[in-house]
């Protein structure tokens, strides 16, 4: 129920921007799919899914403020937005901090902090590769450097060869 509330609120947040809505829904679907095979803890899955829903929450602000939605600028701007987004949700401060941290590191491929972080990176890459037309070489590099879950690797292979 809380995840569906977040999805509805995020759709409203994007104000009809079909690209942003489509993107977060795909990332959320991949994160959910990977986590169902790779994570056993239901709470960890919930936090990951909520993080996937809001992972690009800073994109509209960054496009307005900087003229683009560069990943590092998103990471910088996202904590305050995540905090405000979840202020009326029945989730603990600890969970809000974890969601905020994950969103603020969803373009950071070094020092991956846990399977939830890894899965969010993999899910976002799976979507970005198709949307941005990543080269075969970029996909091969990601396979070697980013993807560690068996499910993520399998999806990458099945989608991009």
């Amino acid at each position: 129920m809380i995840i569906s509330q977040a999805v509805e609120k995020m759709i409203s947040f994007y104000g009809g921007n079909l690209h942003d809505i489509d993107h977060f829904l795909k990332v959320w679907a991949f994160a959910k799919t990977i986590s169902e095979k790779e994570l056993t803890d239901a709470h960890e899955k919930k936090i990951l899914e909520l993080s996937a829903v809001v992972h690009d929450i800073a994109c509209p602000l960054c496009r307005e403020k900087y003229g683009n939605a560069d990943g590092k600028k998103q990471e910088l701007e996202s904590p305050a937005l995540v905090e405000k987004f979840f202020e009326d949700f029945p989730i603990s401060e600890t969970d809000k901090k974890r969601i905020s941290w994950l969103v603020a590191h969803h373009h950071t491929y070094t020092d991956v902090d846990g399977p939830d972080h890894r899965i969010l990176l993999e899910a976002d890459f799976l979507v970005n590769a198709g949307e941005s037309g990543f080269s075969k070489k970029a996909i091969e590099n990601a396979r070697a450097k980013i993807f560690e879950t068996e499910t993520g690797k399998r999806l990458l292979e099945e989608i991009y060869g």
Side-chain angles (χ1 to χ4, degrees), residues 84-138:
K84 182 166 177 45
F85 185 90
F86 286 112
E87 69 186 358
D88 295 327
F89 280 70
I91 56 178
S92 72
E93 286 305 311
T94 301
D95 289 346
K96 287 178 190 176
K97 285 180 182 174
R98 183 62 181 169
I99 294 165
S100 183
W101 188 92
L102 288 167
V103 173
H105 291 84
H106 83 275
H107 287 284
T108 302
Y109 297 104
T110 56
D111 300 321
V112 174
D113 181 38
D116 51 356
H117 185 198
R118 174 68 58 201
I119 292 169
L120 184 58
L121 292 171
E122 291 179 3
D124 196 34
F125 185 90
L126 286 166
V127 177
N128 286 334
E131 289 178 351
S132 299
F134 287 179
S135 69
K136 191 77 163 166
K137 182 154 181 69

Side-chain angles (χ1 to χ4, degrees), residues 3 25 27-50 52 115-116 118-120 122-123 126 149-152 154-155:
I3 295 168
L25 288 171
V27 172
W28 170 50
F30 279 126
K32 180 174 175 50
T33 298
I34 295 168
S35 74
E36 286 178 357
K37 300 276 187 154
E38 303 289 338
L39 298 177
T40 56
D41 182 86
H43 182 256
E44 192 173 25
K45 288 178 189 177
K46 178 179 89 171
I47 298 308
L48 170 62
E49 285 190 52
L50 290 170
D116 51 356
R118 174 68 58 201
I119 292 169
L120 184 58
E122 291 179 3
L126 286 166
T149 70
E150 291 305 314
T151 308
R154 191 168 43 257
L155 289 169

Side-chain angles (χ1 to χ4, degrees), residues 8-67:
E8 287 183 40
K9 186 173 179 178
M10 200 69 212
I11 289 170
S12 178
F13 174 86
Y14 280 132
N17 182 317
L18 296 179
H19 174 268
D20 286 354
I21 294 167
D22 185 53
H23 177 83
F24 98 78
L25 288 171
K26 288 187 286 186
V27 172
W28 170 50
F30 279 126
K32 180 174 175 50
T33 298
I34 295 168
S35 74
E36 286 178 357
K37 300 276 187 154
E38 303 289 338
L39 298 177
T40 56
D41 182 86
H43 182 256
E44 192 173 25
K45 288 178 189 177
K46 178 179 89 171
I47 298 308
L48 170 62
E49 285 190 52
L50 290 170
S51 300
V53 168
V54 298
H55 80 281
D56 275 348
I57 195 167
C59 283
L61 172 68
C62 288
R63 285 191 291 262
E64 182 180 313
K65 187 173 180 178
Y66 304 109

Side-chain angles (χ1 to χ4, degrees), residues 139-151:
I139 291 168
E140 289 170 6
N141 284 340
R143 182 179 290 119
K145 295 179 180 176
I146 299 169
F147 284 75
E148 290 186 6
T149 70
E150 291 305 314
T151 308

